[in-house]
Amino acid sequence: MQLEVLKRTEFRTVQSMKTVSKRVQKFINLYKKYMMPIPIRQMFVTPEKISFTLSQSNEINTINHEKIDTFLRGAKVDLLWLEMNEAETEPIQFLESVIQKTKFRNIECLKLGSSKVECDVSRLNELMKTLGCRELIVDWRFRVPENFFNELKLEKLNRLTSGNEESRNFYRQFSGENFKLFRGDWLEMGPNQLKASDLSVLFKNWKQGAISWISTYNIVISFPIPDLLRLLKNETCQKSVTRWIIRRELDEESEDLEICFLQSTNFSKLPSLVIRQFRNEKSFWA
């Protein structure tokens, strides 16, 4: 996901060092002159300050909250990263107050980094709906209620990352019922309550076309490996010791669903399944 463009240490260092450069001010004034939404590549929000970079730029600028209306009104944000640090405020309510000052047009991806206070999921759902945001990253340091996945509008999300191996166990883990609701193309899920039968349902839904595309599903295996191997033997074609394929035929092409077993990934150090989709174009000879 877009998380890869952010550098945590970079932001935390520059928040106390940088201001908005004259060059960036010139660009912002130009967008405002022609009444165009300011394109923000990434924005890092804390209760103290806001750091951001413009699209197609690596230059990081930092402002106080009092200046957010001057620089960022009507912006279109690719990724917004929220860090509440030790603040006692409900995080989504705080974020709403920031957005009300800016009248953001759109936020593509929201990353919830840390919070001391548990978040209000109904507020989160409504905020994401208002902003047209369909990508969500929930860091293990972010406080969520016990029933988080049941309250979250999973069917509205296109991409979800949550629960790496460091996650606290204060919420109910992602279950098969939650998995049935998700129809997005990207999923990174840490320790969970999924069973082999839930993957079987996924494979059948994909083969029948109920899921149009899977860019990457990176799922920690939380059920016995023998159950997984039996499932793969019965429902897939094995290509190597750790790789299996399912194929579906379309009118002018076919598509493969690749399932790989890995001891660890860049998301989790635990054994995981990585599922990806590929398109095969058919050749027609006269």
Side-chain angles (χ1 to χ4, degrees), residues 146-155 160 171-183 187 189 192-194 198:
E146 181 182 0
N147 216 25
F148 177 65
F149 287 119
N150 288 341
E151 296 178 32
L152 186 65
K153 297 288 187 181
L154 291 165
E155 66 276 13
L160 173 64
Y171 61 88
R172 293 177 188 167
Q173 294 179 341
F174 193 78
S175 69
E177 291 302 311
N178 302 140
F179 198 31
K180 289 176 184 176
L181 294 173
F182 185 75
R183 287 291 184 271
L187 178 67
M189 187 54 59
N192 53 74
Q193 294 180 355
L194 296 180
D198 296 317

Side-chain angles (χ1 to χ4, degrees), residues 8 29-30 33 37 52 56 65 67 69-70 83 109 132 143 158 171 174 186 205 229 237 271:
R8 191 176 306 179
N29 290 333
L30 190 63
K33 179 180 178 181
F52 66 92
Q56 308 299 323
H65 281 268
K67 296 182 178 180
D69 181 67
T70 303
E83 290 280 350
C109 179
R143 291 286 309 272
N158 193 44
Y171 61 88
F174 193 78
W186 183 287
N205 286 340
L229 295 177
C237 176

Side-chain angles (χ1 to χ4, degrees), residues 196 199-200 202-204 206-207 227-247 256-261 273 275:
L199 291 176
S200 179
L202 170 69
F203 298 157
K204 289 174 183 175
W206 178 83
K207 198 160 187 178
D227 291 354
L228 172 65
L229 295 177
R230 278 193 295 270
L231 166 69
L232 295 173
K233 180 180 179 181
N234 293 332
E235 300 190 20
T236 69
C237 176
Q238 188 166 7
K239 295 296 182 179
S240 71
V241 177
T242 58
R243 179 173 171 267
W244 296 261
I245 291 289
I246 301 174
R247 177 163 294 184
D256 287 346
L257 195 65
E258 178 189 69
I259 303 105
C260 293
F261 171 78
L273 279 185
I275 303 170

Side-chain angles (χ1 to χ4, degrees), residues 6-20 42-53 58-65 67-68 72 80-86 94 98 114:
L6 286 167
K7 297 179 181 178
R8 191 176 306 179
T9 53
E10 194 174 63
F11 269 119
R12 289 178 178 175
T13 301
V14 300
Q15 277 218 315
S16 61
M17 296 170 56
K18 285 240 181 182
T19 57
V20 179
Q42 52 196 23
M43 181 178 294
F44 185 71
V45 179
T46 70
E48 294 78 31
K49 295 183 180 181
I50 295 173
S51 299
F52 66 92
T53 65
N58 290 318
E59 182 178 344
I60 300 174
N61 305 273
T62 297
I63 58 175
N64 294 322
H65 281 268
K67 296 182 178 180
I68 189 170
L72 300 177
L80 188 150
W81 182 347
L82 175 66
E83 290 280 350
M84 293 298 292
N85 300 326
E86 295 300 314
F94 167 74
V98 173
S114 70

Side-chain angles (χ1 to χ4, degrees), residues 37-156:
I38 301 164
I40 303 296
R41 180 181 174 218
Q42 52 196 23
M43 181 178 294
F44 185 71
V45 179
T46 70
E48 294 78 31
K49 295 183 180 181
I50 295 173
S51 299
F52 66 92
T53 65
L54 294 179
S55 181
Q56 308 299 323
S57 170
N58 290 318
E59 182 178 344
I60 300 174
N61 305 273
T62 297
I63 58 175
N64 294 322
H65 281 268
E66 294 75 20
K67 296 182 178 180
I68 189 170
D69 181 67
T70 303
F71 291 104
L72 300 177
R73 173 170 284 273
K76 181 179 179 181
V77 183
D78 287 344
L79 190 149
L80 188 150
W81 182 347
L82 175 66
E83 290 280 350
M84 293 298 292
N85 300 326
E86 295 300 314
E88 297 286 350
T89 309
E90 194 280 315
I92 307 304
Q93 183 179 10
F94 167 74
L95 189 55
E96 286 174 339
S97 69
V98 173
I99 291 171
Q100 286 170 2
K101 296 175 186 176
T102 62
K103 307 292 185 186
F104 284 152
R105 302 283 185 88
N106 177 254
I107 293 177
E108 291 291 330
C109 179
L110 174 62
K111 173 174 166 54
L112 303 174
S114 70
S115 67
K116 191 174 181 180
V117 177
E118 188 175 282
C119 84
D120 184 330
V121 184
S122 61
R123 278 180 178 269
L124 174 61
N125 286 329
E126 188 59 34
L127 180 65
M128 294 188 70
K129 178 182 177 182
T130 301
L131 294 169
C133 181
R134 300 192 65 193
E135 300 183 25
L136 180 64
I137 303 169
V138 185
D139 195 280
W140 64 275
R141 298 169 296 121
F142 191 80
R143 291 286 309 272
V144 297
E146 181 182 0
N147 216 25
F148 177 65
F149 287 119
N150 288 341
E151 296 178 32
L152 186 65
K153 297 288 187 181
L154 291 165
E155 66 276 13
K156 302 294 184 182

